[in-house]
Amino acid sequence: MKKIALLAASIAAFAAVPASAQSLTYNLNAQVAPSCGVYNSSGSTIPVEFGELATVPASSTVDVAAGEATYRCNSVNGFTRTITSQNNGYLTLDGNATNDNARRIRFNMAHTGNSGLAFSAQQLTAPVAASFGGSTAFLAGETGNVSFQAFGVQGDVGGNGSPGTTVYAGNYRDTVTITVTAL
């Protein structure tokens, strides 16, 4: 009986000692590169042609649709959109900066779209900046239409019915840039 008690005590003591434990840990990692920008299927430079403005009254505009702009951004904090005009909302003679009204033609820009992208036609006399929060809408891509309006430059009719313009003859240009920066 002593042997059985001693054997039972030995088994109990052995069972009370935990077996040696061994574990294996996997630390998983992945990266997602930042991707934030504005896109058009026609490329990164879109030509906008107003044509001849000499016969368009100064109180009228020539409206040109400039296609779509799609905004996609995977920043959880969202992004900032800044729209700038190189010549502060004017097409200028040969694209040269000037304050001379005889060498510049006023234009406006408009933008449609959801998630706060839209704004009505306005002259870009200063940068138009807005911030947009991170959202699944911008993960999927939000699209809006862009359009421009140039004002006519037809002048008053002169002596003997001679036509006139309010600006000098030549090629008038400006560059409008949409910049998207992740926050």
Side-chain angles (χ1 to χ4, degrees), residues 15-64:
V17 175
S20 178
Q22 176 67 33
S23 64
L24 179 60
T25 303
Y26 292 93
N27 291 322
L28 306 177
N29 276 307
Q31 292 75 41
V32 176
S35 176
C36 202
V38 57
Y39 307 92
N40 181 292
S41 63
S42 296
S44 61
T45 301
I46 310 301
V48 177
E49 179 59 49
F50 293 108
E52 177 58 62
L53 297 176
T55 59
V56 178
S59 60
S60 298
T61 60
V62 173
D63 300 343
V64 176

Side-chain angles (χ1 to χ4, degrees), residues 79-91:
F79 64 94
T80 299
R81 173 183 71 183
T82 305
I83 302 172
T84 57
S85 161
Q86 182 177 338
N87 293 312
N88 301 317
Y90 291 95
L91 300 164

Side-chain angles (χ1 to χ4, degrees), residues 130-147:
S131 292
F132 303 88
S135 71
T136 56
F138 289 117
L139 277 175
E142 281 287 336
T143 299
N145 293 311
V146 175
S147 62

Side-chain angles (χ1 to χ4, degrees), residues 115-179:
S115 300
L117 293 174
F119 60 86
S120 58
Q122 61 183 287
Q123 188 176 13
L124 302 173
T125 56
V128 176
S131 292
F132 303 88
S135 71
T136 56
F138 289 117
L139 277 175
E142 281 287 336
T143 299
N145 293 311
V146 175
S147 62
F148 293 93
Q149 305 172 319
F151 287 79
V153 296
Q154 183 180 37
D156 294 333
V157 175
N160 295 316
S162 62
T165 64
T166 59
V167 297
Y168 295 113
N171 292 315
Y172 286 77
R173 294 190 302 270
D174 190 34
T175 301
V176 172
T177 303
I178 300 174
T179 303

